[in-house]
Amino acid sequence: MRTHFSEAVMTHKAPPFQTVSTGLVVAIVGFFSSFPIVLQGLAAMGASPAQAASGLMMAAIAMGLTAIVLSLWYRQPISVAWSTPGAALLAVSATPALGFAEATGAFLCAGALTVLAGLWRPLGRMAAAIPTTLAQAMLGGVLLPLCILPFQAAVDLPWQALPVIMTWFIAGRINRLFAVPAAVVAAAAVVVLNAGDASLTPKQWIAAPVWTTPSFSVASVIGIAVPLFIVTMATQNIPGIAVIRSFGYAPQTGKLFSSVGFSSILSSPFGAPATCLAAITAAMCANEDSHPDPAQRYWSAVMGGLFYCLFGVFAVAITGFAIHADPLLMGTLTGVALIGVMANATSAALGVPAERDAAILTFAITASGITAFGLGAAVWGLLAGGMAYLVKQRFR
């Protein structure tokens, strides 16, 4: 007996060429605009080069396959991504005591919370009830240390960092979406020019994923999993639903949350941090430039998913090349990729005057990078900002 999914696939016609080209652009923007951030986050969690390559590979394949299945099933342009804000959070977090195994356990728990948010409405409502200003302030505080890196590198490593920064700036004036991919190309050129006689050819082009048996602790659940869940829900999943709805589609919120959460659970032992709904690339798939007929636009998300999977297959080669880059150069790439995200987050955090004090408190504590009682700055920032928010609301 054929399944519902197989029947759905067989009823689809060939994708229009316009959606194929849109899908390619979506994958290029989605992958090359943020893969340095994912690598930085995995390295901060204690991943070895092989584990980082596996994490990048499985993150790309997970979001690609999830986008393909959901878009074909619902016939809607459901674009899926890895959690760039979540990866940035990992990049500024302390390495767990048990290393990367404990980090994968936290990734799994964050995915389980996302599944639960889709299945159990009270948890979904609780996540949605976190004031947007505080969630964005927490994100802004997480991003600040990373966004400073390009300018530190411009002083310490000017001949490598400045070409990347200038390429990003000039390309951004021409087309904002291609600013970071252009910076990636510039960084690759810098690595080649500074390699000397060293061979830059990757030892492997394709590699099998690396399994890491997850381990669990209360500290990693509270300090990594919960903030990862919150920042991903608040800045990716919930906005992703809003973007799809804004183009006239009717996404099934709970089922989509559970689907991306389930993908996160399956891919987490292989090092993938978090799979989530996309916002920016969702808009690229759902607008009229994707296809004049709204009923055909889901093909853009499907094709984007296929190209994500292709990029993921060669993730080990990308990671092998990135190893030759100076850490400050990779920090420069990460920083320029996140400046726009930080600008949006800061603007949203300060957008409500009555909540501005609580947002600034959240931002400042999160950006401080403090750790106390095993909990990181993001947790303390959100707790302190939340208390200030509640007190302000109580006495208004």
Side-chain angles (χ1 to χ4, degrees), residues 103-318:
T104 61
F107 301 164
L108 193 153
C109 290
L113 287 172
T114 306
V115 171
L116 189 57
L119 297 176
W120 189 47
R121 291 184 178 180
L123 179 58
R125 286 196 293 266
M126 286 174 59
I130 296 173
T132 302
T133 52
L134 300 192
Q136 294 290 349
M138 180 180 72
L139 176 59
V142 165
L143 299 180
L144 179 60
L146 298 173
C147 291
I148 290 173
L149 287 176
F151 310 105
Q152 294 175 333
V155 174
D156 298 336
L157 202 70
W159 295 111
Q160 295 191 37
L162 286 176
V164 175
I165 296 172
M166 292 304 299
T167 300
W168 165 78
F169 180 79
I170 294 170
R173 306 290 73 76
I174 299 170
N175 189 319
R176 181 177 58 85
L177 290 176
F178 285 96
V180 178
V184 171
V185 173
V190 167
V191 172
V192 171
L193 291 173
N194 286 273
D197 296 330
S199 174
L200 297 178
T201 304
K203 295 180 180 179
Q204 291 179 291
W205 289 95
I206 300 175
V210 177
W211 173 274
T212 301
T213 301
S215 62
F216 304 92
S217 71
V218 174
S220 65
V221 170
I222 297 175
I224 299 175
V226 172
L228 180 59
F229 164 71
I230 291 173
V231 76
T232 301
M233 285 293 292
T235 64
Q236 292 281 145
N237 285 330
I238 294 173
I241 291 291
V243 167
I244 298 172
R245 283 179 176 160
S246 70
F247 286 95
Y249 299 95
Q252 299 191 32
T253 303
K255 292 181 179 180
L256 294 185
F257 287 169
S258 295
S259 297
V260 294
F262 186 63
S263 293
S264 297
I265 291 174
L266 292 180
S267 58
S268 59
F270 299 101
T275 305
C276 58
L277 298 175
I280 295 175
T281 55
M284 295 171 66
C285 292
N287 69 23
E288 60 276 6
D289 292 333
S290 170
H291 195 278
D293 182 2
Q296 295 294 316
R297 294 174 188 169
Y298 70 94
W299 277 115
S300 293
V302 172
M303 299 312 299
L306 286 174
F307 287 116
Y308 276 136
C309 291
L310 179 63
F311 293 154
V313 168
F314 293 99
V316 68
I318 296 171

Side-chain angles (χ1 to χ4, degrees), residues 67-80:
I68 292 169
V69 172
L70 293 178
S71 297
L72 288 175
W73 189 283
Y74 293 110
R75 298 197 182 209
Q76 297 178 8
I78 301 170
S79 185
V80 179

